[in-house]
Amino acid sequence: MDRLKAQASKNREAAQVLRDRGKDAAAKQMEDRADELESGRVTDCTNAVSGLISWALRR
């Protein structure tokens, strides 16, 4: 969950930079993605995928 919160924070920072550059539509997309990450609707499967890849490479 920490990875998702960290990514949401980075998305919000990027949205601010985009907004400062006048790219409001792109900033809105970044903010929407940050909202999704913070809402819990997105699942972090990084560890599971990493484990599967490690297991497959050992075979």
Side-chain angles (χ1 to χ4, degrees):
M1 194 64 172
D2 291 333
R3 278 189 277 239
L4 296 178
K5 287 184 180 182
Q7 187 60 48
S9 176
K10 289 178 185 177
N11 282 8
R12 292 201 188 281
E13 290 173 13
Q16 184 60 45
V17 170
L18 288 169
R19 199 169 302 287
D20 291 344
R21 293 181 181 175
K23 298 182 179 185
D24 291 333
K28 175 79 171 113
Q29 287 178 334
M30 294 297 281
E31 289 172 348
D32 289 346
R33 181 63 179 158
D35 290 341
E36 288 178 13
L37 292 171
E38 290 175 341
S39 73
R41 292 178 288 178
V42 177
T43 304
D44 184 8
C45 297
T46 305
N47 292 338
V49 171
S50 179
L52 287 171
I53 291 171
S54 296
W55 174 80
L57 291 175
R58 281 183 271 155
R59 299 193 93 220

